[in-house]
Amino acid sequence: MAGLQIGEKVERVDGRKLRYEEFVERYLKGNRPVVLTGLMDGWRACSDWVNPNGRPNLPFFARRFGKSLVQVADCCTRDFTDQKRLEMSVADFISHWLGLSAEKCADDLNGSEQMGSLLYLKDWHFVKEYPDYVAYTTPPFFNDDWLNLYLDSHYMHRDSDIHRDKNEINCADYRFVYMGAKGTWTPLHADVFRSYSWSANVCGKKQWLFLPPSQCHLVFDRHLKNSVYNVYDDVSETQFPGFKKSIWWECVQEQNEIIFVPSGWYHQVHNLEDAISINHNWFNAYNLSWVWNLLVEDYNVAKEYIEDIRDICDDFESICQRNLEANTGMNFYGFFILITRFALANMIQLYHLRNEEDAVSNSSIKAQYFISNLVSIRAVASKMKSFEAFAGENLNSCSMENRSAFSDVKKILEEKDFHELCMALVRAYETTDGRWEQNFEIGKGPLCPKGSLLLNCLRADCGVQNFVTASSSPICGPEDLIRLIEHAIINSSSTSGDFVMLSELCDGANNEVR
């Protein structure tokens, strides 16, 4: 690591001894990386995918999953800010890997250093493609995953003119498998949507280099447009004048260890041995503002790029949003739909807590999750109000598919996809915090006992629909969503003295960085 200043080693913690509340405070809210041990026991992947000698069981992948088409990065060829991507079958990728290993052995014997391309299988949507093959269980620390919970039941893109097939991002998830030989690597980058991520090393060893968000400007050029590609290159001091001032965090991740990557940390990763990893990108209430801030940053770039056609264009904002969606994977409207539906899901669970028969203190603990989520959504919605995309004339030109997906609350409450999201949200919290296990089973308590219809409780006097829709129907933009959230929290607070009052939560919400 000649030339790099290493300031800190990433902390290593036994995940079996870490409580969820500690993980939230130290790493989610603290936005700090950590290596977690002891969380991969019993994973099928750790037996099926690994030979007794600890190396990848490549013939198993070729036999079992060989026909799958995957994206493969050529680690020897740069393509703009990334590596050149190829598409090939898993069987062909494995053949290349095995051939590369045989070639290396021959070269070692001959004293030659010539080798073929180093190919790295990345972003394989393994869970989507093989849902019945349960390779692993997501550790409880990472179950509060709004991104993948949402994509399990909803499209990211709703416009009818966007082609929807199994290879499109709107039908995908952000759960991946990575596979690469020793020497494969990933260039310096920050994660998609500025999400959190976690990466579990099924086999092999990786080196990680991290740069805290407060120093990320140091890896950009003078115009803050282009960033360093490879920190081990001879980085031009003229082009990147701040690079030598950067102080990095470093760690070596061993087999059966999981690394948590916080929002906004630039990082570069090298496989020190043949390696297989399982990786998720995810966000929730604690880093929701990071997602919105990235969308704003990328929106400003998209807007600036076409600013010269504003005066001759009737649908300038619509074009900005389409370009944002193409470049970033989500636009303002898609994000607003997502947070609106999570707001409604949290309101419904909050309503049903009022009728729980367990101890008031237990209800209060559960309520705090939902109220905290709603306050985070409210804080982000407050930032959204001032943007042109949510002005009346632009909302009116928004596609019908997008507008109805956030505006018609009663329709949303009746959708099967929304019911599935609510069920998934509760399952996530049940597996995250052990205090939820008692009297909080699926089909009971917070969800309607019939399970499939959230609005048809066994109780004849259930008023969940009135509770959710009373203050604002339809939702025409961020201001309506804010009013709806405030209505829900105030009404919940009034039913129990132990619920945290809205005023206490909202005073600092807009100033809080989560």
Side-chain angles (χ1 to χ4, degrees):
M1 283 180 283
L4 290 181
Q5 297 185 64
I6 304 300
E8 293 197 42
K9 295 287 186 179
V10 176
E11 184 181 6
R12 186 173 261 100
V13 175
D14 186 340
R16 294 163 297 190
K17 299 178 181 178
L18 184 67
R19 293 186 300 113
Y20 181 68
E21 294 80 5
E22 293 174 323
F23 179 74
V24 168
E25 290 297 324
R26 287 158 59 178
Y27 307 113
L28 293 187
K29 289 184 178 180
N31 205 45
R32 294 169 60 90
V34 64
V35 175
L36 298 171
T37 63
L39 299 178
M40 296 172 62
D41 294 346
W43 283 16
R44 186 177 181 182
C46 293
S47 55
D48 284 1
W49 299 2
V50 185
N51 285 321
N53 63 4
R55 294 173 63 86
N57 187 351
L58 299 180
F60 175 81
F61 280 91
R63 288 193 311 270
R64 187 70 182 266
F65 314 115
K67 294 182 180 180
S68 293
L69 293 178
V70 291
Q71 291 289 312
V72 174
D74 181 349
C75 295
C76 302
T77 307
R78 180 173 177 174
D79 185 13
F80 296 100
T81 61
D82 199 2
Q83 296 160 334
K84 181 181 178 181
R85 295 292 180 117
L86 311 168
E87 185 177 76
M88 62 175 61
S89 69
V90 169
D92 287 343
F93 169 74
I94 297 298
S95 294
H96 177 89
W97 189 341
L98 293 172
L100 189 68
S101 298
E103 182 182 343
K104 184 180 186 304
C105 290
D107 288 342
D108 288 344
L109 291 173
N110 297 328
S112 170
E113 295 183 357
Q114 294 183 351
M115 290 177 60
S117 294
L118 279 171
L119 299 185
Y120 193 2
L121 188 162
K122 296 183 178 183
D123 302 333
W124 183 7
H125 295 273
F126 186 89
V127 171
K128 277 284 188 184
E129 193 168 354
Y130 298 100
D132 296 329
Y133 181 93
V134 184
Y136 61 96
T137 301
T138 300
F141 298 122
F142 314 126
N143 276 328
D144 187 15
D145 175 354
W146 292 11
L147 179 58
N148 288 298
L149 291 181
Y150 184 77
L151 290 174
D152 283 343
S153 56
H154 291 71
Y155 289 116
M156 185 66 80
H157 310 311
R158 291 174 174 269
D159 290 338
S160 57
D161 58 343
I162 294 179
H163 183 54
R164 293 176 179 168
D165 65 28
K166 68 178 182 180
N167 293 319
E168 293 291 335
I169 190 171
N170 56 287
C171 295
D173 60 356
Y174 286 84
R175 306 178 183 102
F176 306 115
V177 168
Y178 279 47
M179 300 175 61
K182 177 181 178 180
T184 52
W185 64 291
T186 298
L188 185 66
H189 69 287
D191 282 334
V192 61
F193 303 139
R194 296 303 180 266
S195 59
Y196 297 139
S197 65
W198 61 269
S199 179
N201 242 15
V202 176
C203 64
K205 184 183 295 187
K206 295 177 185 286
Q207 180 205 42
W208 292 74
L209 292 166
F210 290 98
L211 193 64
S214 61
Q215 294 192 47
C216 286
H217 63 285
L218 298 175
V219 297
F220 279 81
D221 62 17
R222 297 176 185 275
H223 307 290
L224 299 179
K225 297 292 185 183
N226 302 301
S227 62
V228 171
Y229 175 73
N230 180 1
V231 300
Y232 292 122
D233 283 344
D234 183 13
V235 177
S236 168
E237 191 170 356
T238 302
Q239 185 178 6
F240 301 102
F243 180 71
K244 288 188 177 180
K245 301 175 185 176
S246 56
I247 302 175
W248 299 79
W249 293 34
E250 189 264 348
C251 77
V252 173
Q253 181 189 15
E254 304 285 349
Q255 182 174 349
N256 293 334
E257 293 184 338
I258 300 175
I259 194 162
F260 166 69
V261 181
S263 289
W265 286 63
Y266 272 72
H267 50 284
Q268 185 166 314
V269 190
H270 291 257
N271 288 326
L272 304 180
E273 300 173 352
D274 293 355
I276 302 175
S277 63
I278 293 165
N279 309 278
H280 285 204
N281 292 98
W282 55 297
F283 57 75
N284 57 28
Y286 296 110
N287 65 339
L288 200 62
S289 63
W290 280 93
V291 182
W292 172 247
N293 290 342
L294 175 71
L295 288 175
V296 171
E297 180 181 322
D298 287 358
Y299 167 78
N300 288 333
V301 172
K303 183 178 174 183
E304 180 183 356
Y305 189 73
I306 62 170
E307 187 65 41
D308 58 343
I309 69 167
R310 177 192 285 270
D311 293 339
I312 60 172
C313 184
D314 293 333
D315 57 347
F316 179 79
E317 184 61 33
S318 177
I319 294 172
C320 289
Q321 293 301 323
R322 294 185 71 82
N323 289 347
L324 176 61
E325 186 172 64
N327 295 331
T328 306
M330 178 166 53
N331 64 21
F332 286 4
Y333 300 131
F335 183 67
F336 187 63
I337 293 167
L338 184 151
I339 66 171
T340 295
R341 287 171 177 249
F342 270 98
L344 293 172
N346 279 276
M347 290 177 205
I348 287 172
Q349 310 317 326
L350 198 56
Y351 171 82
H352 282 289
L353 283 177
R354 304 190 314 175
N355 298 316
E356 277 203 2
E357 297 176 358
D358 61 349
V360 171
S361 60
N362 196 25
S363 292
S364 297
I365 291 168
K366 298 171 188 178
Q368 291 313 309
Y369 280 98
F370 298 128
I371 292 174
S372 179
N373 290 344
L374 289 169
V375 169
S376 290
I377 294 171
R378 179 190 179 278
V380 170
S382 296
K383 297 176 182 178
M384 301 173 80
K385 292 188 300 182
S386 61
F387 283 84
E388 291 180 59
F390 298 103
E393 62 274 13
N394 290 320
L395 277 174
N396 289 335
S397 63
C398 175
S399 72
M400 182 58 69
E401 291 94 343
N402 277 327
R403 197 159 65 250
S404 65
F406 62 74
S407 63
D408 193 338
V409 176
K410 291 184 178 180
K411 182 181 177 182
I412 293 170
L413 296 180
E414 295 169 354
E415 289 179 4
K416 179 177 180 292
D417 291 349
F418 178 69
H419 297 172
E420 291 177 1
L421 179 64
C422 290
M423 297 283 280
L425 184 67
V426 174
R427 289 192 192 99
Y429 285 125
E430 285 183 325
T431 55
T432 293
D433 190 336
R435 291 175 297 180
W436 286 54
E437 293 176 357
Q438 185 177 14
N439 295 324
F440 203 67
E441 300 172 9
I442 293 297
K444 298 180 182 178
L447 287 176
C448 299
K450 292 187 178 181
S452 61
L453 295 176
L454 288 170
L455 304 184
N456 292 346
C457 290
L458 292 181
R459 294 185 181 88
D461 61 346
C462 177
V464 63
Q465 181 164 318
N466 289 335
F467 174 77
V468 172
T469 63
S471 72
S472 177
S473 183
I475 296 174
C476 296
E479 291 184 350
D480 290 332
L481 180 59
I482 291 167
R483 282 194 291 270
L484 185 61
I485 290 170
E486 292 175 351
H487 166 82
I489 299 179
I490 288 171
N491 277 273
S492 294
S493 300
S494 66
T495 63
S496 170
D498 284 350
F499 283 5
V500 175
M501 295 301 292
L502 176 66
S503 58
E504 296 175 1
L505 283 164
C506 292
D507 280 344
N510 289 322
N511 298 320
E512 183 180 14
V513 178
R514 305 189 65 169

